Amino acid sequence: VAELKDSINTMINNLRGTTERNEEQDWLKTNLARFTNMLQGQRDLTTVGQTLLSELVPLVGAHQGLIYQLRPDEHPELELLAGYAREAEYGYSDRLRLGEGLFGQCAADMRRILVTDVPPETVRIEGRILNAIPRSLVIFPVVFEGQIKAVLGLASLNEFAPAHLTFL
């Protein structure tokens, strides 16, 4: 009876794990399709950036977001394209050089930066209603055909779920 109970419990745990993985895959596919359809045919980059952030930030449980676009001049730099819950008076630069800060470093390395357990003396999610230290930051490059095009960063008062990081 004990072996039967253990076998049934193992089977239930395996089924639960499979169900969770399937639900996660469905969530990923559904939202990827939704974002593809939502942004398809858009020409204005500012509108694309603002639309992307207004849908993406709440979807992944973030509370603030920024997109910097790469301006490939003689001296390439990142220029702020769009923001979500951004308040200009709290020190977010409109322009960054490659390698400058986390956004600039992400662009230079073309690699995601994930910061968890953010120390208290760092960037704050600030505003008139909310003034808090985020718990997690994720900054990732937008790369097309091997070229960096933009950098997107999100701040959350919570940890990002693995499914959210996979989606990003």
Side-chain angles (χ1 to χ4, degrees):
V1 170
E3 285 179 29
L4 180 60
K5 175 190 70 105
D6 291 342
S7 294
I8 290 173
N9 284 336
T10 300
M11 184 177 70
I12 290 170
N13 286 335
N14 290 342
L15 184 59
R16 183 178 297 123
T18 301
T19 301
E20 288 172 2
R21 282 190 300 279
N22 288 342
E23 287 174 354
E24 183 178 299
Q25 287 301 311
D26 288 346
W27 183 87
L28 288 169
K29 289 176 186 176
T30 299
N31 284 302
L32 194 56
R34 184 169 69 94
F35 273 79
T36 300
N37 290 335
M38 179 178 56
L39 298 174
Q40 194 170 20
Q42 291 289 337
R43 295 281 181 217
D44 180 55
L45 285 181
T46 303
T47 302
V48 168
Q50 210 53 60
T51 303
L52 179 66
L53 286 177
S54 67
E55 294 293 325
L56 183 63
V57 170
L59 179 69
V60 298
H63 299 91
Q64 192 172 53
L66 297 171
I67 298 177
Y68 283 90
Q69 175 187 7
L70 183 69
R71 293 290 185 186
D73 301 326
E74 282 183 39
H75 305 287
E77 64 181 3
L78 297 168
E79 182 177 46
L80 188 64
L81 177 68
Y84 180 94
R86 171 188 179 257
E87 299 215 19
E89 69 244 32
Y90 292 109
Y92 299 105
S93 298
D94 287 336
R95 294 184 182 273
L96 298 168
R97 292 184 311 273
L98 296 186
E100 182 179 3
L102 291 176
F103 281 88
Q105 193 61 51
C106 177
D109 294 346
M110 290 198 298
R111 183 173 45 212
R112 181 186 82 174
I113 297 173
L114 176 64
V115 181
T116 56
D117 296 322
V118 176
E121 63 276 359
T122 58
V123 176
R124 302 177 69 80
I125 295 175
E126 298 193 48
R128 290 169 181 81
I129 295 175
L130 177 66
N131 185 358
I133 297 166
R135 188 165 178 190
S136 298
L137 302 170
V138 64
I139 301 160
F140 54 94
V142 177
V143 179
F144 180 71
E145 295 181 351
Q147 300 274 323
I148 184 82
K149 298 297 181 184
V151 177
L152 198 151
L154 302 173
S156 177
L157 297 174
N158 306 302
E159 295 287 330
F160 288 103
H164 295 160
L165 293 173
T166 300
F167 179 72
L168 295 170

